[in-house]
Each structure stands twice: as structure tokens, then as C-alpha cells.
Amino acid sequence: MIKEKIPVYRMIVFFMTFLLTVGLFLWMIKPFFSTLILALIMVGLCYPAYQKLIRPCGGRNWLASGLICLAIFMGIFVPLVFLISSLSVEVAEFYNYLRRELTVDTLNQLIAAHSSKVGRFTDLLDHLGINYDLADIQNDIIRLSKDIGLRAYNWTRSMAGQVMNFSMHFIFLIIFVYFLLLEAPRVKAYLLALSPLPHKQEEILLQKFNDMTVAMVVGNGVAAIIQGIVGGFGLAFFEIKSPILWGTVMAIVAFIPFIGISVVFIPIGTYLLLTGEIGRGIAFLLSFGSLSLFVEYLFKPKMVGDRVKIHVLLIFIAIFGGLATFGVLGIIFGPLITIAFLSMVEIYHQNYGKK
């Protein structure tokens, strides 16, 4: 049987219609695009556990998927709502504390107690040709501290106000995960059928994405949570103001390679040393330094292993670029986009570069 040749104009009309429908569909799901991506990531992580649950559930796939979704709800949604509520209260208290305690009089008392150190600091600045007197120091400290407190206060108020929006997206996330677990093989086959790449290259991309997901969520994610929780309890033990706030900041900055929680505990420890609490400051720095070294150089490499080999510079670019583009979710999306780019470059070199 001779296959009829399709006229060119029909092909043009078809592809124009096809691209139009694809564009309209993507535009329609744009409000839930991030939620859908997170659902796909969670399905990739939870699918092995889902398969193991099917047999104990008597072969009832719906029950196994429901149990996975219940675990996600109890393990993520409930702690996050509690954290946001506690964080809102604590940041408000911290902001009021700064407004109440950080005044010219309190700074004068602090400077008077350490006049020799302040004198050496101003002498050093004069020697460097920098005109910076005590009034400038006082005003800058007050302005910077209150500005940071106000920004944090406004951010947490915004977060608290968006709890309803977050809850709605989380409900959609649970629904997506539930049905994607049930239809995972079909969804995978359907998406791969749309790809023009050879099957071998598709498998390479999927493996790279799986490795990066495990490294980011299981490795870096668990490490960040550990540092945030232990750091929060440590801050409370050392009687540092607002332990939940700074513990949350530690969990976020823990994703940054090599720097991590040092951007929080080093300034606090330095402040304790400068205010004369030498023993407390040294104990604080040693405790949090040990926590950071243990997680970064023992726990995290053990969890991640050799799954992902990316230069540290690319990690910095991926995390900060992702944060600037996607917000907090950029911590996950940035590295995933980077690994997709690197995987495509690797495929190009292996299959097309020499040709």
C-alpha cells in the first residue's frame, strides 16, 4: 500500500495548531507549574517506597499511594505550618526587641565598656585614610539592625498571610502525587514518547535527574534540616535570642557549599567574644563549628556519595541563580536545571561533538 503524501500546507496548519494548543495548555497550568514539578520530584523519590507498600496493602495500589500521601502530609505540611506560625511570632518579638533595646544609650554603654578596642579600630581606620567616627558606627549599627529586623518582620507577615495559598497548593501537590504514583509507568512512557531523543539518551537524562534529586533532597535536604533543628536547640541552650528564626536561617543557608551555617554562628560567636563572654563565645563557636564540619564533611558525603560531580562554582551559580529566578524553590530548581544543561552537553560530546 502506497502511503499518501501529506500536503505541505496541511503539515504547516497542523504544527501551528499543535504549538498553539501546547502554549495554551502551558499557560493554563502556569499557576501550578512549580507544584507539578515538585510533585514529579516527590514521585521520583517515593516511587520505590510505593512499590514496596503494594504487597503489604494486598495489591491495592490506591491504598499504597494514599499511605505515601499521608506520610508526605504529616511529614511536611504539619511541621511547615507550625514553623511558619512560630517563626511569625518570634520574628515579631525579635523586631520589637531591636526597637526597644538597640538605642544610642545602649550602644554608648557597649562602646564605653570596650573603649580600648573601639579606639584601636578607629585608629586603624584613620591609618587607612577612612573617616569613620563613633557616631557613624552607632547610626549604621542601629539603621542596619532595624532594617534587617523590619525586612524579616515584613517577610514573615507575608508568609503568614500566604498560609491559605500555601495550603491550597499543598492540596494540589498531594493530589498530583497520588495520581502520578498510580500512573507512573504510563506517564513516563507517554512523556518519553514525546521526546525526539534516542532511548539511551533519555535514560541518561532520567538517571542524572534521579541522582541530582537524591543528592539535593535526601542529601542536602536532610543535612539542612539536621543543622537547622540542632542549631535551633543549640541557640536556645546558649540563650541566644530568637532560636527558631536563626535555626530556620541556618537550615536555608546550609544548602550553600562550604559556607553553610557559618554565616549565622560566626557573627553570633564573634559578638559573644567582643562583649566579654569569652568562655561562652569559644564554647559556642566550637560547638557549631563541630556541627558544621560533621554534617558537611562526614554526613553529607556519606548520603550523597559519588552520585553528582559538579564543580563548586557551578553549585554557587545554580543556587544563587535559582534563588534569584524562582525564589526559595530555586534551591531545588537551580541545581536541577544545571544538571539538565550539563547532561545535554555530555550527550552532545558523546554523540554529536566529533561528528
Side-chain angles (χ1 to χ4, degrees), residues 154-212:
N154 291 334
W155 178 71
T156 48
R157 282 187 63 187
S158 175
M159 287 284 290
Q162 293 179 4
V163 168
M164 185 63 69
N165 184 49
F166 167 76
S167 302
M168 183 186 69
H169 279 274
F170 199 88
I171 291 172
F172 277 100
L173 176 70
I174 293 295
I175 294 173
F176 292 157
V177 170
Y178 177 80
F179 286 104
L180 285 172
L181 282 173
L182 293 177
E183 304 293 338
R186 294 181 183 178
V187 171
K188 179 182 176 182
Y190 182 79
L191 293 177
L192 292 183
L194 294 174
S195 170
L197 294 175
H199 180 71
K200 183 179 179 180
Q201 296 177 11
E202 294 171 346
E203 291 297 330
I204 291 174
L205 277 175
L206 289 176
Q207 186 61 44
K208 293 283 187 181
F209 267 93
N210 182 64
D211 290 341
M212 175 55 81

Side-chain angles (χ1 to χ4, degrees), residues 14 46 52 128 132 142 198 207 299 316:
F14 168 78
C46 298
K52 292 179 181 179
L128 296 174
Y132 200 72
I142 292 173
Q207 186 61 44
F299 177 80
F316 273 101

Side-chain angles (χ1 to χ4, degrees), residues 100-334:
R100 183 177 65 252
E101 300 294 334
L102 199 59
T103 62
V104 174
D105 292 336
T106 57
L107 282 176
N108 283 333
Q109 294 174 5
L110 180 63
I111 290 172
H114 303 278
S115 57
S116 60
K117 297 176 183 177
V118 174
R120 288 196 296 269
F121 177 68
T122 53
D123 290 340
L124 175 61
L125 293 179
D126 288 336
H127 181 71
L128 296 174
I130 301 174
N131 185 18
Y132 200 72
D133 57 24
L134 292 180
D136 294 328
I137 296 175
Q138 293 172 347
N139 293 331
D140 287 344
I141 290 175
I142 292 173
R143 178 183 54 79
L144 181 62
S145 300
K146 290 187 176 180
D147 184 58
I148 292 173
L150 180 60
R151 286 178 181 272
Y153 178 63
N154 291 334
W155 178 71
T156 48
R157 282 187 63 187
S158 175
M159 287 284 290
Q162 293 179 4
V163 168
M164 185 63 69
N165 184 49
F166 167 76
S167 302
M168 183 186 69
H169 279 274
F170 199 88
I171 291 172
F172 277 100
L173 176 70
I174 293 295
I175 294 173
F176 292 157
V177 170
Y178 177 80
F179 286 104
L180 285 172
L181 282 173
L182 293 177
E183 304 293 338
R186 294 181 183 178
V187 171
K188 179 182 176 182
Y190 182 79
L191 293 177
L192 292 183
L194 294 174
S195 170
L197 294 175
H199 180 71
K200 183 179 179 180
Q201 296 177 11
E202 294 171 346
E203 291 297 330
I204 291 174
L205 277 175
L206 289 176
Q207 186 61 44
K208 293 283 187 181
F209 267 93
N210 182 64
D211 290 341
M212 175 55 81
T213 303
V214 171
M216 288 302 301
V217 179
V218 179
N220 289 348
V222 173
I225 292 172
I226 290 174
Q227 292 181 87
I229 293 175
V230 176
F233 279 109
L235 291 166
F237 176 79
F238 282 97
E239 299 180 347
I240 304 298
K241 191 73 177 177
S242 305
I244 295 178
L245 168 62
W246 298 117
T248 303
V249 174
M250 283 184 173
I252 294 173
V253 299
F255 279 89
I256 303 174
F258 297 109
I259 298 176
I261 63 173
S262 63
V263 298
V264 176
F265 77 80
I266 288 180
I268 295 176
T270 304
Y271 172 78
L272 293 175
L273 295 175
L274 292 176
T275 53
E277 301 185 61
I278 306 299
R280 188 175 169 214
I282 292 174
F284 181 87
L285 289 172
L286 288 176
S287 301
F288 279 85
S290 300
L291 170 65
S292 179
L293 290 174
F294 169 76
V295 173
E296 291 295 328
Y297 296 100
L298 292 177
F299 177 80
K300 191 182 290 186
K302 185 72 174 178
M303 291 289 291
V304 176
D306 296 328
R307 287 178 177 270
V308 181
K309 297 178 180 179
I310 303 180
H311 195 277
V312 64
L313 178 61
L314 282 176
I315 293 293
F316 273 101
I317 294 173
I319 290 176
F320 287 108
L323 285 171
T325 306
F326 303 103
V328 177
L329 291 178
I331 292 176
I332 298 175
F333 292 166

